Amino acid sequence: MAATRLRPDNPIPSSSPTFGTPLHPALPLQSIPPPPAFRPALLTVIPVLLPPPTLRPLAFRTFTKKHNLTLNSSALQTLATFIGRHCGSGWREEGLAEKVLEEVAKTWKQSGGAVIVEDGALLKSVLKTLEGCMSGGRVTQGKNSTSRQSSFAFANADDQSKSTGDARPNLGPTYGSFGLSSLKVEEVEEEEEHSQDPRAWLKVTNAFEQPQLTYNVNKKHFEKSTTKSSLFPPPSHKTVLFRERYNLIHQRLLRNEAFQAPSFNQRTTPTLARSDSVTVQQFYRITPIANLLGRSGSSHLLLGLLVVAPTGTLALNDMTGSIALDLQHAKPLADEDACYCPGMIVLIEGVYEEEYSGAGGGGLGNISGVGGTIGGKFIGFQISGPPSEKRNVTLGIANKEGEDAALGGGFGWTDFLGLGSERAVGSKMRRLERKLLGPGAQHAGNGKMVILSEVNLDQPRTLEALRKVLNTYTSESPTEIPMTFVLMGNFTTHAVMAGGGSGGSIEYKEYFNELAAVLSECPSLLRVSTFVFVPGDNDPWASAFSAGASTAIPRQEVPEIFTSRIKRAFATARAEIPGKSGIDGEAIWTTNPARLNVFGPAHEVVVFRDDISGRLRRTAIRFGHVA
């Protein structure tokens, strides 16, 4: 009977009470490749039957790890048939299959293919053109070979180009990046009238409209979540929440150069000391908590979730287990004013100290292996948060003008907000931004955003201050008026719906009527600017049962029953000049938090109204004291 190969979701063999990993997962079987044998290159290739599972490890290494692509089963079957027919029995020993897969992956990306390689017209066109460039199972550069400049994708567009007389090939429909982006990538200028107004490219995405994505550890990319959002989810969702947060930070940390081991295959730049000795550049290595057993007295660097153990002491959890912490000698690594609270994922450097007690002589921390708890304690000396990653590195794009736009890995093909991915429409949106808001453009002065917080409408001095701010921008020319005004709550100093000192629902509507009167004094702003309103803790309807205390986020927008007068003020301002060209001003009531995007994935602003500083100070741990 053949043994069943199980591939665990967690590659580290242990368990953890926080992340809900299995206690004893099955280990994948390691297949040992046969030793390479010397075989002379043959001009005549003898076709072989190559099973797709045999080609899968090599295809995964080339497509996924090197080019950040995902290969589905049908495409793998097509590639296995193609390699077996054109490379023959030397596909493994002579490295023929790896070169073919490398050429297919590069051409697929340069032809505008999606992140998921599917068995479709584009892949067949790539293989058909590549077939004419192969001799003896190898890819050659002969007369019939073409460059990698995406000529494979345009094989079907030759007839259309000849008939229309257009030298530019037609890309046709763009293949969506795993259901996230269906925008077409074409080097054409849109001649729409509204495209000349930069506010046409302003998009406010509330928390309930944002696509829900989940990170797949095995495939190493984001997938669309199929679970429905709810304020009352099952208890397992709490474990999934922290597990996915840990996986996101862990994969980002491994891309950092400080955590990558030096490669001996590539030439490294050594450092010459005074003794003329060559020293290798040091790097950090993260130790799983389960690997601390039997290594008492050794120094380690741990990455885990800071929690409060059932015994009341601090503990650190990762995907492999949990261990008690001793932070009385710990110091923050970067900033002494930084806050470290339970629920954060932190990096701790210290020494593991194992307890040598008899059987039954310990408490909860001495139950070795049960529930993933490791006996002993970890004495931390330095603590820090995971290093951040620049946006261009995450998306795999160029940071400056003139740099190579393709930096390798990253999530450039992922459409996080439903506005198009960075690789698909990012360069096009930046060209459009330079055209509309660049130096010398007509709307060069409109690329500004004004953010006002704690707009307490029940305070008369707040309305006076708001009137002065709006009059300042009203006196400017239309080409200098900001495109967006963001007004954030709390819009009242007390929780109105809970019977606070600011009145009830009738008084709350009167406050917005007074705001509408102030806005009506500046009709020029209402005609050309977008006003975004973000609620706070004291605004309805959350304050009806929380009395102004923190509630579950995201919070709904202010109900329409209180905002009718403000919408009427915008309609009146637009009616004064009926023939005005461009996009009319509008009022948008969004959730807390929300995202503002300008020119698609080019610029993104997250607006979140919350007392984060006070929340962190209340729950932060103190160093120099026993936890």
Side-chain angles (χ1 to χ4, degrees):
M1 177 183 249
T4 303
R5 298 187 62 178
L6 300 177
R7 182 179 180 88
D9 294 335
N10 177 22
I12 305 177
S14 184
S15 60
S16 174
T18 300
F19 301 100
T21 53
L23 182 60
H24 300 290
L27 298 178
L29 299 178
Q30 302 293 335
S31 59
I32 303 177
F38 174 77
R39 297 187 60 180
L42 300 177
L43 296 179
T44 303
V45 177
I46 302 177
V48 295
L49 182 61
L50 181 60
T54 307
L55 185 64
R56 186 183 299 274
L58 183 60
F60 175 80
R61 194 161 56 243
T62 303
F63 278 81
T64 304
K65 288 192 173 183
K66 191 172 182 179
H67 294 278
N68 199 26
L69 297 173
T70 302
L71 195 66
N72 63 5
S73 58
S74 58
L76 180 63
Q77 175 68 40
T78 303
L79 290 175
T81 305
F82 180 85
I83 293 175
R85 183 171 63 250
H86 294 87
C87 297
S89 58
W91 69 273
R92 187 201 298 268
E93 291 81 357
E94 301 177 14
L96 303 179
E98 185 176 1
K99 296 178 181 179
V100 172
L101 294 176
E102 179 75 17
E103 189 72 22
V104 172
K106 290 181 179 180
T107 310
W108 176 274
K109 294 176 66 175
Q110 294 178 1
S111 302
V115 72
I116 294 184
V117 181
E118 298 179 350
D119 185 16
L122 180 58
L123 181 60
K124 293 180 180 179
S125 177
V126 170
L127 297 180
K128 182 179 180 180
T129 310
L130 185 62
E131 183 179 0
C133 305
M134 297 186 64
S135 175
R138 303 178 185 275
V139 180
T140 60
Q141 298 292 335
K143 296 181 180 181
N144 298 331
S145 63
T146 57
S147 63
R148 296 176 179 175
Q149 193 62 29
S150 65
S151 59
F152 298 129
F154 306 143
N156 297 330
D158 295 338
D159 298 336
Q160 183 176 357
S161 301
K162 294 179 181 179
S163 60
T164 58
D166 188 6
R168 176 181 300 172
N170 183 17
L171 290 177
T174 304
Y175 297 86
S177 54
F178 46 99
L180 303 177
S181 177
S182 58
L183 300 178
K184 295 184 178 181
V185 188
E186 296 183 1
E187 303 293 333
V188 296
E189 297 289 341
E190 295 188 2
E191 300 296 338
E192 302 176 0
E193 295 182 358
H194 69 271
S195 63
Q196 304 302 320
D197 193 337
R199 286 198 309 112
W201 306 100
L202 172 66
K203 172 67 175 178
V204 180
T205 306
N206 63 40
F208 299 99
E209 295 176 351
Q210 180 176 343
Q212 298 182 10
L213 305 179
T214 179
Y215 182 72
N216 192 316
V217 182
N218 298 327
K219 298 182 179 179
K220 299 188 185 316
H221 69 76
F222 287 90
E223 295 179 344
K224 203 168 184 179
S225 177
T226 56
T227 59
K228 188 178 180 180
S229 301
S230 174
L231 291 177
F232 304 98
S236 60
H237 283 205
K238 183 178 181 181
T239 302
V240 174
L241 168 67
F242 291 106
R243 183 192 304 171
E244 185 169 352
R245 183 184 302 176
Y246 179 88
N247 291 331
L248 282 174
I249 296 178
H250 186 259
Q251 60 86 19
R252 186 185 69 191
L253 200 63
L254 295 181
R255 291 202 303 268
N256 194 301
E257 294 181 356
F259 291 85
Q260 294 179 0
S263 175
F264 295 99
N265 297 328
Q266 299 179 358
R267 181 177 300 177
T268 58
T269 302
T271 302
L272 295 178
R274 291 186 178 181
S275 59
D276 296 337
S277 61
V278 180
T279 59
V280 182
Q281 183 180 2
Q282 296 181 353
F283 67 96
Y284 297 99
R285 186 187 301 275
I286 300 176
T287 304
I289 293 180
N291 293 1
L292 295 177
L293 289 175
R295 305 172 70 179
S296 179
S298 56
S299 300
H300 301 277
L301 179 64
L302 304 182
L303 174 69
L305 179 68
L306 194 63
V307 297
V308 178
T311 57
T313 60
L314 287 176
L316 192 71
N317 293 350
D318 67 357
M319 301 294 289
T320 67
S322 175
I323 189 172
L325 290 178
D326 183 2
L327 300 180
Q328 56 179 334
H329 303 291
K331 294 181 179 181
L333 182 60
D335 190 1
E336 295 183 356
D337 297 332
C339 297
Y340 299 96
C341 311
M344 291 184 175
I345 294 181
V346 296
L347 283 167
I348 301 180
E349 183 180 6
V351 177
Y352 171 60
E353 182 178 315
E354 191 172 359
E355 291 183 357
Y356 298 96
S357 57
L364 291 177
N366 197 35
I367 308 177
S368 301
V370 178
T373 304
I374 306 300
K377 61 180 178 179
F378 189 79
I379 304 176
F381 297 133
Q382 288 183 334
I383 183 173
S384 173
S388 59
E389 187 178 65
K390 294 184 178 180
R391 187 173 186 267
N392 65 296
V393 178
T394 303
L395 298 178
I397 59 176
N399 189 21
K400 300 179 181 179
E401 294 293 337
E403 291 184 357
D404 187 8
L407 300 180
F411 303 102
W413 287 108
T414 305
D415 184 8
F416 292 99
L417 297 176
L419 303 176
S421 63
E422 175 64 38
R423 293 288 184 88
V425 298
S427 59
K428 175 183 177 181
M429 291 292 103
R430 285 180 173 82
R431 289 195 304 270
L432 185 62
E433 178 188 3
R434 290 191 296 267
K435 177 183 176 181
L436 299 182
L437 299 179
Q442 179 183 358
H443 302 279
N446 297 128
K448 295 179 291 186
M449 181 182 299
V450 179
I451 300 179
L452 306 174
S453 182
E454 285 297 312
V455 185
N456 301 137
L457 302 179
D458 56 342
Q459 300 292 330
R461 58 182 182 180
T462 301
L463 295 176
E464 288 296 329
L466 182 60
R467 183 180 286 107
K468 292 181 180 179
V469 173
L470 297 179
N471 290 333
T472 302
Y473 292 103
T474 304
S475 59
E476 297 183 355
S477 60
T479 58
E480 298 294 331
I481 296 178
M483 61 163 41
T484 309
F485 288 84
V486 180
L487 276 65
M488 303 175 61
N490 297 309
F491 293 114
T492 57
T493 55
H494 303 281
V496 287
M497 305 308 296
S502 300
S505 59
I506 299 179
E507 289 77 9
Y508 190 78
K509 182 176 177 58
E510 292 295 331
Y511 296 148
F512 277 101
N513 293 343
E514 296 177 3
L515 176 61
V518 174
L519 296 178
S520 300
E521 300 175 4
C522 308
S524 60
L525 295 182
L526 304 186
R527 286 193 292 265
V528 298
S529 298
T530 300
F531 284 75
V532 181
F533 297 87
V534 181
D537 294 332
N538 295 337
D539 298 308
W541 297 108
S543 62
F545 55 87
S546 66
S550 298
T551 57
I553 56 175
R555 304 182 183 96
Q556 291 279 3
E557 64 272 10
V558 177
E560 296 183 1
I561 190 176
F562 303 108
T563 62
S564 58
R565 189 69 62 88
I566 293 182
K567 295 181 179 179
R568 190 183 309 169
F570 278 84
T572 303
R574 291 193 297 265
E576 294 179 358
I577 307 179
K580 186 184 76 68
S581 60
I583 305 299
D584 295 330
E586 59 177 341
I588 299 178
W589 305 85
T590 186
T591 58
N592 182 21
R595 295 178 184 267
L596 279 70
N597 292 82
V598 185
F599 296 102
H603 302 283
E604 177 182 347
V605 178
V606 178
V607 182
F608 183 30
R609 169 59 182 88
D610 190 61
D611 189 7
I612 300 179
S613 177
R615 193 189 307 274
L616 294 178
R617 290 196 303 267
R618 286 194 303 268
T619 58
I621 61 177
R622 296 194 304 168
F623 298 100
H625 299 78
V626 179

